[in-house]
Amino acid sequence: MLLRLQLLTIVTLVALASFAALPSWQVANPQDIDISVRPGEDFYRFANGGWLKAVARTTGQGTLDNRSMLAQTNSQRVRELIQDAAATRSSPGSVAQKVSDYYASFMDQNAIESRGLGPVAEGLGKISAITDNTSLSAYLGTTLSGEIEGLTANSDHIFGIWINQGFEDASHNLPHIWQGGLGIPNRDDYTDPAKSELRSQYQTHIARVLKFEGVRDPESRAQAVLSLETRIAQSFAPDSDSTDVFKQNNSWKRGDFDVKAPGLNWRAYFQSAGFSEQANFIVWQPSAVTGVAALVRSETIDSWKDYLRFHELEHYASVLPKDLATEHFSFYGRILAKEKGTADRGREAIAATGGALGQMIGQLYTQRYFPPEFKAKAQAMVGDLISAYRARIPKLDWMSPETKQKALAKLTALQVIVGYPDVWIDYSSLEIVRGDAFGNMQRAESFYRRRDLIRLKQPVTPIDWPTNPQTPGGVIMFSPNAEFFTAGILQPPYFDPNGDAASNYGSAGAAMAHEISHSFDELGNIYDAQGRLGDWWTSEDHARYREAASKVVAQFDAYCPSPDLCVNGKQALTENIADLTGLLVAHDAYLLSLRGKPDTVIGGFSGEQRFFLAFAQRWRRVQSEAELRRQFRPITTRPANTEVIPFATLPNGTTPLKLRSTTNSISSRLTASESGRSRRGALPVDFTVATDVQVYFRDPQSPWQRGTNENTNLPLRQYFPRGTDLSVQSQARLDQVALRLNQRPRKTLGFETPASKLQASVASTI
């Protein structure tokens, strides 16, 4: 990894005091463990029994686990940071001033109300001035921008853009163009007869929004808008294409747009978008580009103008008069997201400020909760994990010598970046004015649009951070070859810089090693060391991998918490192998960290015992029966307790908690139902799998693997209105967000970071 400038962070005495106040996570609290359970019989209950008895879900909460609790803690921390900044007077241009003024302006509804629709009049006037194809094309070009959570959404523009290196050219940043322009998330929502009620509700919503501008006959014009969006949706690529990186890799020259997608004046479009000098593009869904261009020519100018008026008002609803914001929530909040009650303005303000000034808030967050010395400790752990991989790869039986060399080269090139960027985004040119909520939002959007254009002319490195440091989560980017773990996730109970190293390696270390393994499995094997497309496994590697992986499939097929509920080993293969890989590699890394010295005994547990306890406690969860059953739908996840099962497949002789070495396995009660009834699965006697087989696997039926997704009935999308507090969402809805791969990609959502727009990146959650 190229050397970068290290950000010099001044940590105040107040911040240092806050570090001292953080709880030390040396080892599991004694009350979390249930010593009445023999670890060789049920390690999950042994490690978590006390905690499982002590906690309880709140009403309507489907799942309570470490990650939802951390998400809630982090949400509160961010809220306090922003509100603390708003309560103090800071020097003009400072981080605190801009964060404070953005938040305060968003909360000042009296000022927003007093201006009425005045702030949006200029934008509506530009739409009214459209008279022909050229002026329409030019206006549409102004809407081409990247997606910023809390600021823009893919429904606000017919095409979205992402600046990143090419699939085949790793030395230059290129504009990646994807389909957009829909107001409801799913293409099928516009055509499925079963969704007629939703379409009717959406049309009513369009009419109500248009009525705010005072247009005549809003009902019939809303029908025309819905008709146009339906035609746009019909041009969209199917989900199988949108999740197939080889079908996304469509290199177009500037002149190709005129030939392949006639109807839109591309010269006017790209000139107003700021791309008039750009020669090369990557078009993810050519059918959408071709289809929308044809609609620009075939549909009436008036229909397009009403479509644009509606989306202009919808886009800025949160910073326009309350009646419009309320109407926005009534559809996107109550109908689409199934939320109850009224919109929470404070929550929306926090989300909007984070969307506009994400890395500024990240600076405030890391100063208090993840200073440079914490980052250094996380980097040291990453170094041990990489060393452990470097030692394991040459020992693999299934990988050919030629492929091992390529794997080692990719490992050397892999950038694992923790905590926060070495160089923060420079916001000095972004003006934030207290009392001007609309202007602040508009200027923030322009700032990011200009930044994208600048990045096109800059080197590929340093890699642009794909998420905000305060957001708990991790992101894998196969192109380029990089992984990110935020300061928000490197917190107790996963990672405690002042705590026990054994516990850190068993929890956060195993999670990081899990994600690193994906860079080398059956998804990662189609990206080389520089993140370029190209399968670097041999055909023999593929065959030996599949033969070895079949043993893991058979193992997990046998886990059944009830007769009618069994794990699908094939569908969960990629994560099961990554869990096992993460555990094995993190264990190696932990031993490396000791540098040949014995670890201390804490609370009666040796270092290795604390390592495995931390791994098991990472997965602790209480959930409803409905949530348990949801996990057995055709998705690539598995119940919490089965996460501990990789412990059962450790090499023979690895029995740090004196498990019965004759079977080297754990008989785990997979899940307790809401009423507390435990169910023992039908478990095989022998769990053992050859160690060398268990390092780099990926399910060939992964949704990302070359369009071979068999899970066509997945609930791929779930829309969250701006400001949604994801810490209180059910795991079912968060999983849907993580798998939402098409029209409405989002950059950061709670502690899961869906990276569909990050081109074949994988959403990862520690």
Side-chain angles (χ1 to χ4, degrees):
M1 186 170 104
L2 295 177
L3 294 178
R4 305 180 188 177
L5 294 176
Q6 176 67 42
L7 178 69
L8 298 178
T9 304
I10 300 176
V11 183
T12 64
L13 291 176
V14 174
L16 287 173
S18 71
F19 298 146
L22 291 175
S24 179
W25 209 271
Q26 292 290 339
V27 72
N29 293 324
Q31 60 267 28
D32 290 348
I33 299 172
D34 188 348
I35 60 174
S36 69
V37 178
R38 295 177 61 187
E41 289 290 336
D42 190 338
F43 187 64
Y44 179 78
R45 293 284 170 183
F46 170 78
N48 298 300
W51 183 87
L52 293 170
K53 295 174 184 176
V55 299
R57 294 176 295 107
T58 59
T59 302
Q61 185 178 31
T63 299
L64 178 66
D65 56 11
N66 285 335
R67 60 184 185 176
S68 63
M69 294 168 71
L70 177 58
Q72 202 163 19
T73 297
N74 255 31
S75 178
Q76 182 60 33
R77 286 176 172 180
V78 169
R79 180 183 293 269
E80 290 172 356
L81 287 168
I82 292 174
Q83 291 176 340
D84 287 351
T88 59
R89 285 194 171 274
S90 305
S91 58
S94 66
V95 170
Q97 175 265 313
K98 292 187 177 183
V99 170
S100 168
D101 287 353
Y102 197 101
Y103 172 81
S105 301
F106 196 97
M107 289 295 293
D108 189 354
Q109 289 187 285
N110 289 333
I112 293 173
E113 205 71 27
S114 67
R115 296 186 178 189
L117 293 181
V120 78
E122 182 180 356
L124 293 173
K126 291 179 180 179
I127 295 171
S128 296
I130 296 172
T131 58
D132 53 22
N133 181 286
T134 299
S135 56
L136 173 59
S137 299
Y139 180 85
L140 291 174
T142 66
T143 69
L144 180 64
S145 61
E147 188 160 312
I148 304 107
E149 178 64 20
L151 288 176
T152 61
N154 213 17
S155 63
D156 301 323
H157 40 266
I158 58 170
F159 303 125
I161 198 164
W162 174 49
I163 307 302
N164 194 57
Q165 72 173 56
F167 287 115
E168 297 171 358
D169 179 4
S171 59
H172 296 91
N173 281 320
L174 293 173
H176 296 244
I177 295 179
W178 71 84
Q179 60 196 14
L182 304 183
I184 44 181
N186 196 332
R187 179 187 70 162
D188 294 339
D189 290 338
Y190 290 87
T191 58
D192 186 350
K195 298 297 182 67
S196 60
E197 182 180 0
L198 175 62
R199 290 192 293 273
S200 177
Q201 292 168 322
Y202 181 50
Q203 182 174 320
T204 300
H205 170 64
I206 296 172
R208 288 173 177 169
V209 171
L210 290 176
K211 193 173 182 179
F212 281 106
E213 194 195 355
V215 301
R216 297 179 180 178
D217 193 13
E219 287 76 15
S220 62
R221 293 167 79 166
Q223 185 178 12
V225 171
L226 178 59
S227 176
L228 176 56
E229 285 196 21
T230 300
R231 289 180 172 86
I232 294 174
Q234 289 168 340
S235 74
F236 271 31
D239 289 341
S240 59
D241 286 3
S242 297
T243 59
D244 182 346
V245 66
F246 292 95
K247 291 184 178 179
Q248 294 166 357
N249 183 25
N250 303 286
S251 297
W252 284 25
K253 299 288 187 182
R254 165 62 189 83
D256 290 333
F257 288 87
D258 298 315
V259 176
K260 297 179 179 180
L264 191 150
N265 187 325
W266 289 105
R267 180 179 181 181
Y269 180 87
F270 283 123
Q271 184 172 356
S272 63
F275 290 88
S276 57
E277 298 179 3
Q278 182 64 34
N280 299 301
F281 299 81
I282 295 178
V283 177
W284 283 26
Q285 299 97 1
S287 66
V289 174
T290 301
V292 170
L295 289 171
V296 170
R297 179 167 55 189
S298 65
E299 298 300 303
T300 67
I301 294 295
D302 286 341
S303 292
W304 274 107
K305 289 167 71 171
D306 284 338
Y307 166 87
L308 294 170
R309 288 188 183 98
F310 163 68
H311 283 290
E312 180 80 357
L313 291 168
E314 190 68 70
H315 175 68
Y316 290 110
S318 63
V319 288
L320 290 174
K322 185 177 180 180
D323 287 346
L324 184 56
T326 300
E327 172 57 32
H328 175 90
F329 179 80
S330 70
F331 179 74
Y332 287 102
R334 291 199 186 95
I335 294 175
L336 270 185
K338 308 299 182 186
E339 290 196 6
K340 298 178 181 179
T342 58
D344 184 336
R345 187 67 181 180
R347 190 178 69 182
E348 291 180 351
I350 297 296
T353 308
L357 305 172
Q359 285 201 17
M360 277 193 160
I361 296 173
Q363 292 178 56
L364 298 176
Y365 181 91
T366 55
Q367 286 169 11
R368 185 175 298 184
Y369 299 111
F370 201 81
E373 57 267 32
F374 285 18
K375 180 171 182 172
K377 291 185 178 181
Q379 288 172 323
M381 185 166 68
V382 168
D384 289 333
L385 293 171
I386 297 298
S387 295
Y389 269 106
R390 186 170 289 114
R392 295 186 71 87
I393 288 173
K395 300 175 184 178
L396 296 174
D397 288 338
W398 63 271
M399 191 178 276
S400 66
E402 174 189 358
T403 305
K404 289 176 184 178
Q405 291 304 311
K406 293 179 180 179
L408 289 168
K410 186 172 184 180
L411 181 69
T412 299
L414 175 66
Q415 299 184 58
V416 181
I417 307 171
V418 298
Y420 52 84
D422 290 336
V423 179
W424 296 94
I425 291 175
D426 180 3
Y427 290 95
S428 59
S429 64
L430 173 57
E431 183 183 17
I432 302 298
V433 179
R434 184 173 287 244
D436 186 12
F438 183 94
N440 290 338
M441 181 176 175
Q442 201 169 56
R443 285 187 291 271
E445 292 173 340
S446 297
F447 169 81
Y448 286 108
R449 190 177 294 115
R450 291 193 303 271
R451 186 170 180 271
D452 275 348
L453 293 173
I454 292 171
R455 288 183 57 226
L456 274 175
K457 301 177 182 179
Q458 292 179 332
V460 172
T461 56
I463 302 169
D464 205 45
W465 262 68
T467 186
N468 292 323
Q470 65 273 18
T471 301
V475 177
I476 304 175
M477 294 181 67
F478 293 101
S479 178
N481 181 20
E483 304 194 13
F484 301 80
F485 299 94
T486 67
I489 196 64
L490 293 173
Q491 300 290 326
Y494 299 126
F495 180 78
D496 183 356
N498 294 322
D500 172 41
S503 298
N504 284 338
Y505 279 80
S507 185
M512 288 179 167
H514 168 123
E515 303 306 341
I516 292 172
S517 75
H518 287 313
S519 293
F520 303 90
D521 61 22
E522 270 210 323
L523 175 56
N525 72 358
I526 61 174
Y527 297 90
D528 68 11
Q530 284 73 48
R532 298 169 299 191
L533 277 178
D535 192 342
W536 46 274
W537 284 14
T538 66
S539 57
E540 291 79 11
D541 294 330
H542 282 280
R544 286 192 292 265
Y545 152 73
R546 293 189 180 99
E547 179 184 359
S550 65
K551 301 175 184 177
V552 183
V553 172
Q555 175 182 339
F556 278 82
D557 278 343
Y559 298 143
C560 304
S562 65
D564 66 329
L565 215 57
C566 295
V567 175
N568 186 316
K570 186 176 182 180
Q571 289 175 342
L573 177 64
T574 177
E575 295 304 304
N576 291 335
I577 292 298
D579 282 340
L580 179 56
T581 301
L583 182 62
L584 293 169
V585 172
H587 184 255
D588 289 351
Y590 162 64
L591 296 178
L592 286 172
S593 74
L594 297 177
R595 306 297 185 257
K597 299 178 181 179
D599 204 347
T600 57
V601 175
I602 300 177
F605 292 103
S606 69
E608 285 201 287
Q609 289 173 330
R610 300 194 305 275
F611 172 91
F612 288 104
L613 279 169
F615 178 82
Q617 290 170 348
R618 172 176 158 232
W619 298 111
R620 60 191 182 186
R621 174 188 299 171
V622 291
Q623 60 186 357
S624 67
E625 181 78 14
E627 284 296 301
L628 166 63
R629 291 189 170 275
R630 182 201 57 78
Q631 293 177 70
F632 283 84
R633 294 172 186 169
I635 56 176
T636 55
T637 57
R638 55 267 179 254
N641 296 32
T642 62
E643 307 285 4
V644 183
I645 290 175
F647 184 82
T649 58
L650 288 173
N652 285 325
T654 304
T655 55
L657 284 152
K658 300 184 186 299
L659 303 181
R660 293 172 302 178
S661 58
T662 55
T663 60
N664 191 28
S665 65
I666 301 169
S667 175
S668 174
R669 295 182 182 90
L670 289 183
T671 307
S673 69
E674 187 170 8
S675 63
R677 300 186 306 273
S678 63
R679 293 170 173 170
R680 186 179 297 276
L683 304 176
V685 175
D686 184 7
F687 288 66
T688 305
V689 181
T691 305
D692 286 345
V693 172
Q694 301 167 349
V695 181
Y696 307 123
F697 295 148
R698 182 75 178 184
D699 182 0
Q701 272 64 51
S702 162
W704 285 102
Q705 181 62 28
R706 309 187 187 186
T708 58
N709 180 14
E710 294 180 351
N711 304 330
T712 55
N713 60 340
L714 284 175
L716 289 178
R717 300 175 189 80
Q718 175 67 43
Y719 177 71
F720 288 92
R722 183 177 293 121
T724 298
D725 184 358
L726 291 174
S727 67
V728 301
Q729 302 300 322
S730 72
Q731 187 59 42
R733 298 181 68 205
L734 291 173
D735 283 347
Q736 289 176 6
V737 172
L739 290 168
R740 192 180 54 186
L741 305 174
N742 198 3
Q743 287 88 286
R744 299 176 66 84
R746 293 280 180 167
K747 207 168 194 177
T748 56
L749 284 171
F751 50 83
E752 300 227 29
T753 308
S756 56
K757 100 175 213 183
L758 301 181
Q759 168 271 335
S761 300
V762 171
S764 60
T765 302
I766 291 181

